[in-house]
Amino acid sequence: MSDRPLSDLLPADRIAAALPRPGTWRPLPPAADRAAWGRVPAAPRARLERWTDERLAGAWPPLPPDGFEAFGARGDRVHHEGPHFARRSRMAAAVVRTLLAGPGAATDQLIEGVRELCGEPTWCVPAHERSTGPGGIPAPDPDRPTLDLFAAETAGLLAFTSLLVGDELPPEERGTIEAEVRHRVLVPFRERDWPWLGLRGEPLNNWTPWILSNVLPATLILDDDPGTQASGVARAVAALDRYLASVPADGGCDEGIHYWWRAAASFFECLEHLASATGEDGAFRLPVVASMARYPVAAHLGGEWYVNFADGRPLLRAAEPGLLYRYGVRTGDAEVRAQAAAMPPATDLDAPDHSLARLVTPLIDDSWHQARHAPPAAPLPRQTWLPDTQVLTAREHAGDSGGLFLAAKAGHNDESHNHNDVGSFIVGVNARPVVIDLGVGTYDKSTFGPDRYRIWTMRSAWHNLPLIDGHEQAAGRHHTAADVCTRLSATVATLTLDLAGAWPQEAGVRSWRRELTLARGAKPATLTVRDDWHLAEPPGDLALHLVTTGPVAVDQAAGTLLLGPEGHRLAVRFDAAGYRAETEERSVTDAKLRAVWGPSVHRVRLVAKRPEASGATALTFQAARNAP
């Protein structure tokens, strides 16, 4: 495959020749097309009507005057971002109300929304602002606006507002949208060098496709000069090529399943926009593009739960399955389509990454509604190994979420949205995680700064890993797994790796071989985690950690643990002669973590009674089917 596949398909001269005249690109019909919007089925219509009723009640939420100071002084992102996103939800709700009920249904709200958003001093959030004032406090510069994720999102929102309900707006407001989107987003995109463009070889992540999935439609809808429009599209295509070069061939997302929806899914939206505007759809047949579509299938634990390594959330409440369905249609993958059709509709329509176009496009997709009418079961493949991302998922029965599920990772400790978690794993029982990855809480200033690994959920001590004389794994690309291999069959799924390189040199870890095996041949199925280590000297303390939701029952004499709630119990056997089981409960105060795991989580510490420089031990896990 060429290292510039998109640019080969869409060179600059072809883009210029293929693009429609400015002002004529229309990927979605306007609100006045009642034949189109009148066929939205009753269930999604009712869900969105309830949402718009809630969002359009009361007054517009004001932006706090000290939002940037709150972030700069104490690292508080929520103080500004909460109302910032609420204002955009209200704007989107006004558009959706008009689409569902027809012109005139929310005209005053639309006009007020345009004035409110276009009157803001910046569309960038404080955590991303490049300009600073006294004391290093972020200080927006209106003459040199920062183009971040949410400035781009605002541009996309307003561009689709103009496309869908522009007839509801007075000429002055339509002109304001065009002027502000150009000044704040389109001109900075074309004229300035941004790290997320990768022009100097910067590492790329979800920022590139996420921003471009908004910049592209804004360019196609609002730019009125053919040459300017074509140059903007060509610049976006070149950046998408650089992003695609960073995607592993296996299509995995090392940022976690939550970010897949703003990495691969946004990349797919970019391809949709390009195909719609130019007629070129060859990119959907690229092998890596098809592989990217399959990551949600591989990462599906069962029911509403997903594997959430890195900054992931295991419950995808903002995920729009209609987008995944279109991705499966474009790549010809029936399992991707089935995965989408089996997913519940998004329940968090206010999430900052839930774009207007992403929300409304499935509403008039007849094939999607037909798939939802009699949805197939989720694919639930027996096992998937992603050799580049180095993630294994395996379950007891193909096509069945009952019984044991294993997810395990190798990789390194400089992945995008990294946690120090080389060799960690997740164990599920009957479609629910029991030995868990905590995921990520509410972002603040420390999340993406030098203090990231002071956050407890990012540290190896709160992953399912050893703790050696108090030494945790360290961050950095060189802290990596070695000798990674798998053995996969109908009866066995095994991942073997050496985790030694994940620790700093002072930990004295010469080797730490971990082997994780899900054995399906016997009844009941068993998961075994074997550790075999060689240290430079005997440690003063050595413990194996298991993080779980609770409750936890310990039988030290028998060497057994019973983890998880009724219906999802997991029996764990350990070496009682060599290890002492200790349990601790930690309160969960962060709102996002609490919404997933409840008011507390538990950590089991299996502490070596006589820690030695060299040793071996094994844990065995079975679904406790008959446990009370």
Side-chain angles (χ1 to χ4, degrees), residues 239-265:
L240 289 169
D241 263 334
R242 289 187 288 273
Y243 174 76
L244 193 60
S246 74
V247 175
D250 62 23
C253 183
D254 69 359
E255 300 181 84
I257 184 61
H258 173 76
Y259 276 101
W260 184 92
W261 293 87
R262 271 312 183 183

Side-chain angles (χ1 to χ4, degrees), residues 87-108:
R87 289 161 68 85
R88 282 139 184 86
S89 287
R90 188 180 178 105
M91 182 79 236
V95 177
V96 172
R97 169 70 65 81
T98 306
L99 296 177
L100 296 178
T107 303
D108 290 345

Side-chain angles (χ1 to χ4, degrees), residues 501-548:
W503 276 272
Q505 187 174 1
E506 57 267 26
V509 185
R510 292 177 174 169
S511 71
W512 194 291
R513 183 178 175 84
R514 169 164 280 188
E515 182 181 86
L516 306 102
T517 299
L518 176 61
R520 311 180 183 94
K523 300 241 182 244
T526 300
L527 167 63
T528 304
V529 178
R530 301 182 187 276
D531 287 315
D532 187 325
W533 64 88
H534 298 280
L535 309 178
E537 58 186 33
D541 181 75
L542 179 65
L544 305 177
H545 288 176
L546 298 174
V547 182
T548 184

Side-chain angles (χ1 to χ4, degrees), residues 174-195:
R174 292 201 301 272
T176 298
I177 288 176
E178 294 172 7
E180 293 298 326
V181 170
R182 286 175 187 157
H183 171 67
R184 300 179 192 229
V185 172
L186 298 183
V187 170
F189 165 66
R190 288 193 295 265
E191 297 183 355
R192 291 167 60 187
D193 178 5
W194 302 96

Side-chain angles (χ1 to χ4, degrees), residues 100-251:
L100 296 178
T107 303
D108 290 345
Q109 297 276 12
L110 291 169
I111 294 171
E112 185 178 11
V114 171
R115 292 172 180 171
E116 287 282 344
L117 297 189
C118 291
E120 292 178 355
T122 179
W123 293 341
C124 175
V125 299
H128 301 158
E129 179 56 63
R130 284 184 157 197
S131 301
T132 58
I137 301 295
D141 182 350
D143 295 324
R144 192 172 173 79
T146 294
L147 176 47
D148 76 327
L149 298 173
F150 301 115
E153 274 288 307
T154 306
L157 169 61
L158 289 172
F160 275 101
T161 297
S162 181
L163 180 84
L164 296 169
V165 298
D167 291 344
E168 298 288 289
L169 301 172
E172 182 179 354
E173 273 62 45
R174 292 201 301 272
T176 298
I177 288 176
E178 294 172 7
E180 293 298 326
V181 170
R182 286 175 187 157
H183 171 67
R184 300 179 192 229
V185 172
L186 298 183
V187 170
F189 165 66
R190 288 193 295 265
E191 297 183 355
R192 291 167 60 187
D193 178 5
W194 302 96
W196 45 265
L197 288 172
L199 293 168
R200 292 180 171 80
E202 299 94 335
L204 300 181
N205 62 8
N206 67 84
W207 276 56
T208 306
W210 187 345
I211 289 175
L212 294 176
S213 68
N214 287 287
V215 167
L216 269 171
T219 296
L220 292 166
I221 293 168
L222 297 178
D223 263 332
D224 58 2
D225 177 76
T228 300
Q229 187 181 75
S231 68
V233 172
R235 185 172 173 88
V237 167
L240 289 169
D241 263 334
R242 289 187 288 273
Y243 174 76
L244 193 60
S246 74
V247 175
D250 62 23

Side-chain angles (χ1 to χ4, degrees), residues 284-303:
F284 297 114
R285 293 184 285 278
L286 297 172
V288 67
V289 172
S291 295
M292 290 161 70
R294 291 193 56 81
Y295 186 75
V297 177
H300 188 204
L301 194 159

Side-chain angles (χ1 to χ4, degrees), residues 367-387:
S367 66
W368 166 236
H369 296 311
Q370 185 176 359
R372 296 288 271 184
H373 181 69
L380 301 171
R382 176 181 288 114
Q383 56 211 9
T384 303
W385 167 240
L386 302 176

Side-chain angles (χ1 to χ4, degrees), residues 469-518:
D469 248 350
H471 292 290
E472 300 183 52
Q473 290 189 5
R477 181 63 178 81
H478 58 290
H479 292 297
T480 186
D483 300 329
V484 179
C485 62
T486 58
R487 182 163 59 95
L488 305 174
S489 71
T491 57
V492 170
T494 298
L495 172 64
T496 305
L497 67 158
D498 188 345
L499 341 181
W503 276 272
Q505 187 174 1
E506 57 267 26
V509 185
R510 292 177 174 169
S511 71
W512 194 291
R513 183 178 175 84
R514 169 164 280 188
E515 182 181 86
L516 306 102
T517 299
L518 176 61

